[in-house]
Amino acid sequence: MSPSDDPLQQGPDAAGEPLTPGDPPAPNDPLAPKAAPDDSPLLTARGIRKSFGDNEVLRSIDLDVRRGEVVVLIGPSGSGKTTVLRSLNGLETPDGGTISFAGGPELDFAKPLPKGARFALRDRSAMVFQQHNLFPHMTVLQNVIEGPQRVQRLPKAQAIAEASALLDRVGLAEKRDAYPFELSGGQQQRVGIVRALALKPDLLLFDEPTSALDPELVGEVLSVIKELADEGWTMVVVTHELGFARQAADEVLFMDGGVVVERGAPGDIFTRPTEERTRRFLDRILRPMD
């Protein structure tokens, strides 16, 4: 089998100008190689637990994410992947465990949390959702500048300038005055990515960003995410796109039943997994008719 026939080798080509974490985009930046991950973690999560009623969704999840690293979570539906992301972004409150960012915040969910503690997590991260979650009554540009203006108090002129540059980077400059209903699903998701980037987060969180798209639109979204990975953005990505995971990830975590069953480099996870449950999952995804 040639590399082009291997489902794990297929994926988007990186294209476009680089987007540098923490800085406003510069239109003439050269395409930068991926930054080498830092040895010190940007994010550390230990013993994260979460239940919904009698359903124990997360059972002591540990996670380290270094600067410039891409961590990909894979696994069957209902395994707890999305709940991990929502916990890291403060959208869910774990029942126990700790989440800490280098430079703060440091949250211990076994103790009463100070008011607004969960919002401190959102100061360090931004999330891209499955369903785009764009405001339907706002234009593309208005959707992008909403966070920087209202949350970060960025002057309107600066917010518009930075949003316009970001939209140009992902090929949507001409859509800035369009409304979400006038866009394709892939275009809406690219706007969702730009909206997250506009907040200049330290950590980008992607929750199955292509699951709601028609198959022919998946590539345009994965191309943008792969480009960001190549440019050194720090990410945690939940996806079923295993070819993308193999190309973009520094570490892959396979989850099932609320636990991390296996973790390792993509070459190890996808070609020589050590756990039987991981092997069965990959076989069903890659060879569904066998």
Side-chain angles (χ1 to χ4, degrees), residues 90-162:
L91 295 173
E92 296 287 356
T93 303
D95 301 323
T98 62
I99 296 175
S100 60
F101 277 88
E106 298 180 7
L107 303 185
D108 185 346
F109 296 98
K111 303 175 182 178
L113 294 179
K115 185 178 180 180
R118 289 188 299 126
F119 292 100
L121 294 175
R122 295 176 211 171
D123 289 338
R124 303 296 303 275
S125 63
M127 193 156 173
V128 178
F129 300 90
Q130 297 181 32
Q131 300 291 338
H132 326 311
N133 287 8
L134 301 179
F135 295 113
H137 62 289
M138 293 183 178
T139 66
V140 165
L141 182 64
Q142 290 169 338
N143 266 280
V144 175
I145 68 174
E146 177 75 6
Q149 272 197 279
R150 291 187 177 272
V151 178
Q152 299 178 335
R153 306 298 182 186
L154 204 66
K156 184 175 182 179
Q158 183 180 350
I160 290 175
E162 294 183 4

Side-chain angles (χ1 to χ4, degrees), residues 3 6-13 72 74 210 218 222 226 239-249 252 266-267 270 281-282 285-286:
D6 185 348
L8 285 179
Q9 295 290 349
Q10 294 174 356
D13 292 330
V72 173
I74 63 172
T210 61
V218 168
L222 291 182
K226 178 64 166 59
T239 186
H240 291 297
E241 300 289 341
L242 301 188
F244 165 81
R246 182 163 186 170
Q247 288 189 19
V252 176
F270 292 123
F281 172 79
L282 294 174
I285 296 295
L286 299 175

Side-chain angles (χ1 to χ4, degrees), residues 28 32 34 80 95 125 152 169 174 176 181 203 209 216 221-222 224 227 234 254 268 274 280-282:
N28 297 318
K34 180 172 180 178
D95 301 323
S125 63
Q152 299 178 335
R169 290 288 186 85
E174 77 285 358
R176 56 174 279 169
F181 75 88
L203 177 65
E216 63 183 6
V221 173
L222 291 182
V224 174
E227 177 183 333
T234 309
F254 170 65
D268 294 330
T274 60
R280 285 191 284 114
F281 172 79
L282 294 174

Side-chain angles (χ1 to χ4, degrees), residues 63-283:
L63 180 66
D64 291 305
V65 184
R66 297 175 295 167
R67 292 186 186 276
E69 186 174 48
V70 179
V71 176
V72 173
L73 309 183
I74 63 172
S77 298
S79 59
K81 306 182 299 298
T82 293
T83 305
V84 170
L85 290 193
R86 291 177 62 86
S87 297
L88 298 179
N89 191 237
L91 295 173
E92 296 287 356
T93 303
D95 301 323
T98 62
I99 296 175
S100 60
F101 277 88
E106 298 180 7
L107 303 185
D108 185 346
F109 296 98
K111 303 175 182 178
L113 294 179
K115 185 178 180 180
R118 289 188 299 126
F119 292 100
L121 294 175
R122 295 176 211 171
D123 289 338
R124 303 296 303 275
S125 63
M127 193 156 173
V128 178
F129 300 90
Q130 297 181 32
Q131 300 291 338
H132 326 311
N133 287 8
L134 301 179
F135 295 113
H137 62 289
M138 293 183 178
T139 66
V140 165
L141 182 64
Q142 290 169 338
N143 266 280
V144 175
I145 68 174
E146 177 75 6
Q149 272 197 279
R150 291 187 177 272
V151 178
Q152 299 178 335
R153 306 298 182 186
L154 204 66
K156 184 175 182 179
Q158 183 180 350
I160 290 175
E162 294 183 4
S164 297
L166 286 169
L167 289 168
D168 184 55
R169 290 288 186 85
V170 300
L172 292 176
E174 77 285 358
K175 299 292 186 180
R176 56 174 279 169
D177 296 320
Y179 286 89
F181 75 88
E182 299 176 295
L183 306 178
S184 70
Q187 289 171 334
Q188 289 186 49
Q189 192 60 294
R190 280 188 279 161
V191 174
I193 294 171
V194 167
R195 185 173 58 178
L197 292 173
L199 295 170
K200 303 173 189 172
D202 294 296
L203 177 65
L204 285 168
L205 305 170
F206 292 89
D207 183 18
E208 298 191 29
T210 61
S211 65
L213 301 179
D214 292 336
E216 63 183 6
L217 301 177
V218 168
E220 68 183 67
V221 173
L222 291 182
S223 291
V224 174
I225 302 174
K226 178 64 166 59
E227 177 183 333
L228 296 173
D230 288 342
E231 291 162 8
W233 286 80
T234 309
M235 306 183 199
V236 180
V237 183
V238 171
T239 186
H240 291 297
E241 300 289 341
L242 301 188
F244 165 81
R246 182 163 186 170
Q247 288 189 19
D250 295 292
E251 183 179 37
V252 176
L253 277 64
F254 170 65
M255 293 185 60
D256 189 29
V259 301
V260 177
V261 176
E262 187 168 355
R263 68 180 76 205
D268 294 330
I269 295 294
F270 292 123
T271 62
R272 43 186 177 275
T274 60
E275 298 294 331
E276 175 60 27
R277 180 65 186 97
T278 311
R279 288 194 290 270
R280 285 191 284 114
F281 172 79
L282 294 174
D283 282 344

